[in-house]
């Protein structure tokens, strides 16, 4: 990072069972974030469900400012019951990309709890760490604040906000509160401090201005893949393909 950049977390529901309407909503919210000066807009987990040869993948896509696809990451391990729906991704997306204003990469939801997957991004110089999720618990914030301090990167965590009342009447849902996912999106600095959020129980867009001086100051004291690393003792090998 060479200069300050504004980023956004867009906490919003999809339009249930309507792909075209969801894409239109995504475009509208992206325009709103861009109009507010954001160079990056992150959406929650499962903004993208990718189908290939009969298998669904939970996928994180990062697009460059020119509209080209810069990073394609499939969730490595679907969590628990998610394995009934999504297949396992591979290591091709364990990369970072330079989007012109920062080097960024990301992991999806609980794969952020996989230490080696995180370190793969650290070794690749991540500065803006993307963590879209469906975990709307307070405990998740312990994790993202730790990851920010461990990576010495800015962490954007955009969480699912979802209401039962948004589903058609003929879709059976377990009884309970209307909120199926209460959000909790947040933007955290490299010392683990909140720059924006958490945002609970409503749709909305969070904004924060990321200052590279904060990142470099934090890394003077601790850099997990730099001066605070012992590659002669500890090494990580990433297998890109299954």
């Amino acid at each position: 990072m060479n200069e300050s950049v504004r980023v956004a977390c867009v906490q919003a529901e999809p339009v249930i069972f309507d792909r075209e309407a969801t894409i239109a909503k995504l475009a509208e919210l992206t325009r709103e974030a861009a109009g507010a000066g954001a160079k990056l807009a992150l959406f929650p987990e499962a903004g993208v469900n990718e189908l290939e040869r009969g298998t669904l993948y939970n996928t994180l896509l990062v697009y460059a400012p020119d509209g080209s696809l810069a990073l394609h990451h499939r969730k490595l391990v679907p969590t628990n019951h998610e394995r009934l729906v999504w297949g396992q991704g591979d290591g091709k997306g364990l990369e970072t990309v330079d989007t012109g204003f920062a080097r960024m990469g990301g992991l999806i939801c609980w794969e952020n709890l996989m230490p080696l997957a995180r370190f793969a991004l650290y070794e690749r110089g991540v500065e803006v760490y993307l963590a879209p999720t469906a975990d709307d618990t307070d405990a998740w914030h312990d994790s993202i604040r730790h990851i920010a301090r461990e990576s010495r990167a800015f962490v954007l965590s955009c969480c699912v906000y979802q209401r039962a009342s948004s589903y058609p009447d003929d879709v059976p849902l377990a009884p309970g509160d209307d909120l199926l996912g209460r959000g909790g999106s947040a933007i955290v600095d490299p010392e683990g401090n909140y720059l924006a959020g958490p945002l609970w129980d409503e749709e909305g867009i969070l904004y924060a201005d990321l200052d590279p001086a904060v990142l470099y100051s934090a890394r003077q004291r601790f850099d997990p893949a730099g001066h605070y690393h012992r590659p002669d003792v500890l090494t990580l090998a990433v297998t890109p393909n299954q």
Side-chain angles (χ1 to χ4, degrees), residues 19 24 26 30 72 101 127 141 171 182 203 220 239-240 242:
R19 181 172 60 182
L26 183 149
T30 301
H72 174 212
F101 55 83
E127 297 171 322
H141 287 263
V171 175
R182 58 186 298 250
E203 289 191 323
Q220 283 184 338
T239 304
Q242 292 179 324

Side-chain angles (χ1 to χ4, degrees), residues 35-49:
K39 300 297 184 184
L40 168 70
L42 178 66
F43 288 82
E45 179 180 11
V48 178
N49 286 285

Side-chain angles (χ1 to χ4, degrees), residues 48-182:
V48 178
N49 286 285
E50 186 182 16
L51 177 64
E52 183 180 25
R53 297 178 183 175
T55 299
L56 279 173
Y57 296 97
N58 184 344
T59 303
L60 170 64
L61 303 178
V62 176
Y63 287 91
D66 65 2
S68 62
L69 181 60
L71 181 66
H72 174 212
H73 170 65
R74 289 172 171 172
K75 191 172 184 179
L76 294 169
V77 181
T79 304
N80 195 11
H81 54 278
E82 294 175 0
R83 298 174 201 180
L84 298 174
V85 179
W86 289 292
Q88 291 189 328
D90 56 32
K92 289 186 292 186
L94 292 179
E95 288 290 347
T96 60
V97 292
D98 186 351
T99 57
F101 55 83
R103 181 161 288 278
M104 67 180 64
L107 299 172
I108 302 168
C109 202
W110 276 15
E111 65 177 352
N112 284 286
L113 306 183
M114 300 169 68
L116 299 184
R118 294 201 307 270
F119 190 72
L121 300 186
Y122 303 166
E123 282 195 317
R124 287 152 180 79
V126 65
E127 297 171 322
V128 175
Y129 187 113
L130 309 177
T133 186
D135 190 335
D136 62 354
T137 65
D138 291 329
W140 174 253
H141 287 263
D142 296 332
S143 295
I144 63 172
R145 294 182 68 196
H146 167 77
I147 291 169
R149 296 188 67 220
E150 181 181 71
S151 65
R152 287 311 201 248
F154 294 100
V155 174
L156 279 66
S157 177
C158 198
C159 188
V160 168
Y161 172 76
Q162 187 70 72
R163 296 169 298 173
S165 56
S166 297
Y167 284 79
D169 293 337
D170 59 353
V171 175
L173 297 172
D177 294 336
D178 185 45
L179 280 180
L180 303 177
R182 58 186 298 250

